[in-house]
Amino acid sequence: LPVDTLWALCRLQRCRHSSDQYYFRSLPLLLELDDHFDEVEDAVLGVMDTTERTSSMVENVNTPPAKAGGFRLRLKAGLIGHSADGCRYTT
């Protein structure tokens, strides 16, 4: 498979599976992968679940333990949010 296809599947996971954005973004991949879409998506999800994010590891090393509401503070600071299309993103 082309690497661009795998990256597109990774980016697709930012969207809620029940959202319109997931549906519209998955259409080209469904056409490209045909009957193999679910199999390839499951494989990509498996790799994503077992891969540590480098930024997360650096953040865990360089920041003190979060107190209650740490997630909310990062959300308010704009480090975690939702884009206009309803897909998650982090900075």
Side-chain angles (χ1 to χ4, degrees), residues 67-87:
K67 296 183 181 187
F71 177 79
R72 275 189 228 143
L73 290 174
R74 290 189 317 197
L75 182 61
K76 286 181 182 178
L79 298 175
I80 299 171
H82 292 276
S83 60
D85 63 7
C87 299

Side-chain angles (χ1 to χ4, degrees), residues 14-76:
R14 294 177 176 175
C15 300
R16 289 186 311 266
H17 285 239
S18 61
S19 72
D20 290 340
Q21 285 300 317
Y22 180 89
Y23 173 76
F24 289 117
R25 289 182 182 191
S26 67
L27 281 178
L29 295 167
L30 283 164
L31 293 173
E32 180 181 347
L33 298 172
D34 198 31
D35 292 335
H36 301 287
F37 177 84
D38 290 328
E39 178 184 352
V40 174
E41 184 181 39
D42 289 344
V44 167
L45 287 170
V47 170
M48 290 175 71
D49 286 342
T50 59
T51 302
E52 288 293 329
R53 289 181 37 205
T54 304
S55 62
S56 294
M57 292 181 355
V58 170
E59 181 179 317
N60 288 338
V61 169
N62 291 329
T63 55
K67 296 183 181 187
F71 177 79
R72 275 189 228 143
L73 290 174
R74 290 189 317 197
L75 182 61
K76 286 181 182 178

